[in-house]
Amino acid sequence: MTDTQCPTHPRQPAVACQECFDELLEARDAAGLRMWGAARLAADCDDRFPRRFAAAAVDHPDVKDWVETWRADPEAAPSLLLAGAVGVGKTWQAYAALREAATTVRQHPRFINRVPGPSWEAVTSADLYASLRPRTGVDTEAVMETYRRVDMLLVDDLGAAKNSEFVEETTYRILSGRYDDMRPSIFTTNLPPAELKHALGDRIASRLAESCRLVVLDGPDRRRAK
Ligand SMILES: Nc1ncnc2c1ncn2[C@@H]1O[C@H](COP(=O)(O)OP(=O)(O)O)[C@@H](O)[C@H]1O
Ligand SMILES: [Mg+2]
């Protein structure tokens, strides 16, 4: 053992041992302090992920690379835009990346003393717009605030909704709010990047181009291959 290794978990560095940190969090958790450690965060994903994607694990090298960037500094990381044809595994990679992001508790100022840990939401774009349509009895601004403020937001099938002023405005508010607060997101889209401009408008396409790491997935339609 060297003095750069953690004495309890030799695979980890001494100064920033993720395992020691997790144990500390679990102990606080057990003490009722409700700061979630890795086990609770993983259980939260198990509870809230769609069943089809419950076992999703990152197996694309560029997505792995994005996860590492997020881990290194969640505030400096770009958003992730997963593009590709129907059935290539975009939603799978997106949930896999979300799980990695949502369960990695780092000693980052943004998450220290956070109750209950890095927060996340995952939603299809259709459900996102539906939840934000003005209607009586619902404070849609509060819903918007949630989408803007969660530490990680997954929006599946961006660009699938028929374009309208409402869709454009809503998407822009979420994207620009998150961008300004340095909160990365994960998006998937069936559209080739060049067509996003038509579907979502110039302002949004250029925001996405500026703030996202684009990963294009290819291969066969996995649904037909089954
Ligand atoms: N890497 C993978 N390993 C195992 N199954 C996968 C993988 N990627 C996708 N799948 C499965 O293939 C199907 C299509 O994947 P999905 O992510 O829904 O495609 P897309 O979102 O690109 O249309 C789903 O049933 C999914 O569970
Ligand atoms: Mg999909």
Side-chain angles (χ1 to χ4, degrees):
M1 180 170 329
T2 71
D3 58 2
T4 58
Q5 290 172 303
C6 170
T8 325
H9 310 102
R11 284 170 305 153
Q12 300 275 352
V15 283
C17 175
Q18 181 72 42
E19 287 176 52
C20 280
F21 190 58
D22 280 342
E23 283 169 16
L24 181 73
L25 295 186
E26 297 295 351
R28 291 181 60 158
D29 202 17
L33 294 172
R34 285 189 49 79
M35 183 165 171
W36 291 9
R40 284 283 291 277
L41 293 168
D44 184 42
C45 291
D46 292 343
D47 281 352
R48 293 170 57 206
F49 274 22
R51 284 188 60 196
R52 184 174 301 284
F53 303 107
V58 177
D59 57 11
H60 190 288
D62 294 347
V63 179
K64 274 190 187 151
D65 197 62
W66 177 84
V67 168
E68 290 310 319
T69 313
W70 192 90
R71 280 196 183 135
D73 186 350
E75 288 185 340
S79 291
L80 176 66
L81 175 61
L82 293 159
V86 172
V88 292
K90 300 177 299 295
T91 305
W92 176 281
Q93 292 299 317
Y95 272 100
L98 175 62
R99 179 183 284 274
E100 295 286 345
T103 55
T104 309
V105 186
R106 290 201 76 255
Q107 298 176 59
H108 187 278
R110 177 161 272 180
F111 304 125
I112 291 284
N113 291 326
R114 174 69 59 85
V115 177
S119 56
W120 60 268
E121 291 294 332
V123 66
T124 63
S125 65
D127 286 343
L128 176 97
Y129 301 128
S131 69
L132 291 169
R133 289 227 177 259
R135 57 205 189 278
T136 44
V138 178
D139 180 0
T140 51
E141 277 305 310
V143 183
M144 166 64 82
E145 201 51 21
T146 303
Y147 291 134
R148 285 169 61 132
R149 297 200 65 81
V150 281
D151 296 313
M152 182 57 72
L153 176 68
L154 161 55
V155 182
D156 198 21
D157 271 333
L158 197 62
K162 193 167 174 292
N163 198 5
S164 66
E165 203 175 311
F166 170 77
V167 163
E168 206 172 315
E169 200 52 36
T170 302
T171 315
Y172 185 74
R173 283 187 64 195
I174 294 172
L175 251 71
S176 63
R178 296 186 60 78
Y179 178 82
D180 292 349
D181 283 340
M182 300 166 82
R183 297 183 202 281
S185 316
I186 300 171
F187 304 106
T188 76
T189 184
N190 279 334
L191 298 174
E195 278 180 35
L196 275 174
K197 210 194 289 198
H198 280 297
L200 294 168
D202 267 350
R203 285 190 309 169
I204 293 165
S206 71
R207 264 290 147 97
L208 285 171
E210 185 190 347
S211 61
C212 291
R213 181 173 302 173
L214 172 66
V215 176
V216 180
L217 303 183
D218 50 19
D221 180 344
R222 287 174 180 264
R223 292 193 195 102
R224 285 173 192 272
K226 276 185 179 167

